[in-house]
Amino acid sequence: MTFPLHVSDEVRALAPGFGYVAVEAYGLANGPSDEAGSALLDAAARRLAERLDGRAPQDDPHIAAWRAAYTAFGSKPSRTRNSAEALAKRALADGGLPRINRLVDLYNAISVAHLIPVGGEDLDHIRGGMRLVRATGAEPFATAAGGEQVVEHPEPGEVVWCDDEGVTCRRWNWRQGVRTRLTDSSVNALFLLERMAPMSVAELTAAAAELAEALEKTCPGARVEVGEPRLFD
């Protein structure tokens, strides 16, 4: 693993049960959503339903831990849900999961199946390393509104992922920016799988291994590297 990632002391103190695994992939072949990706999403929704067994996503201990972390930095977890909970709710709804593109569909399927936040960033659009910090409120965040690209700013104290150019994801893993998202032309990517205790290291690494296997199957010839788990318990 070569891409630099850093978690600030402030974030470590806020959520000591946090941890992640990074997966780097090079030479990918992305494109529009296809039948294989759709099948992965449908299977993930079935796995989620079996896991929850009638419970709501927020009643799962892992999602409850994420809600507690969001509350700790001043975010209302029922209003701005972590990405795993938001996807899980869509997976269980009548409309089902959205289809975005091959790579996004793939990592969304892993997120839903394992009930874990997973993000994907285009390595060719990241400037410098990525850092998980509490925002000052001055950092730029490129997003879209009404079909136009606009620049917003996080709230002071909000937990954000950022690089040298600005915020890449607001409220930890709530909303990704448009600058580094995976598009049909993306070929090199960084995937982050994030956990809170009580999710075990074995569960975290199993999700990362499944993601790596799916990437290799979907993109033959790609080079996929799975990093060691980073835990801040």
Side-chain angles (χ1 to χ4, degrees), residues 16-174:
F18 175 63
Y20 69 80
V21 166
V23 178
E24 293 177 26
Y26 301 89
L28 298 168
N30 201 10
S33 299
D34 56 20
E35 291 184 6
S38 187
L40 282 175
L41 288 168
D42 289 342
R46 291 191 295 270
R47 289 168 65 181
L48 173 68
E50 292 174 3
R51 173 187 179 130
L52 293 175
D53 192 24
R55 295 175 298 151
Q58 63 266 27
D59 294 329
D60 182 89
H62 189 220
I63 297 302
W66 274 105
R67 283 183 158 235
Y70 270 50
T71 300
F73 69 81
S75 183
K76 295 181 178 179
S78 294
R79 185 174 166 186
T80 54
R81 296 181 176 90
N82 69 83
S83 64
E85 181 181 349
L87 276 176
K89 288 183 72 69
R90 295 192 70 170
L92 298 172
D94 290 340
L97 289 162
R99 272 58 172 168
I100 309 298
N101 59 50
R102 292 173 69 200
L103 292 179
V104 175
D105 292 351
L106 192 158
Y107 78 72
N108 279 349
I110 298 299
S111 175
V112 169
H114 291 268
L115 205 52
I116 181 175
V118 182
E121 306 283 353
D122 190 319
L123 278 170
D124 296 320
H125 292 280
I126 296 174
R127 301 294 174 252
M130 282 179 58
R131 303 174 298 281
L132 186 65
V133 302
R134 300 197 72 173
T136 66
E139 301 90 343
F141 174 69
T143 186
E148 300 291 330
Q149 184 164 317
V150 298
V151 174
E152 297 178 353
H153 299 275
E155 298 173 2
E158 182 181 320
V159 175
V160 297
W161 279 102
C162 61
D163 65 2
D164 290 350
E165 196 166 311
V167 173
T168 59
C169 196
R170 285 195 59 188
R171 292 195 176 98
W172 216 312
N173 48 47
W174 167 65

Side-chain angles (χ1 to χ4, degrees), residues 16-20 195 201 204 229-233:
F18 175 63
Y20 69 80
R195 64 75 102 156
V201 177
L204 176 64
R230 293 287 310 281
L231 307 176
F232 305 100
D233 294 342

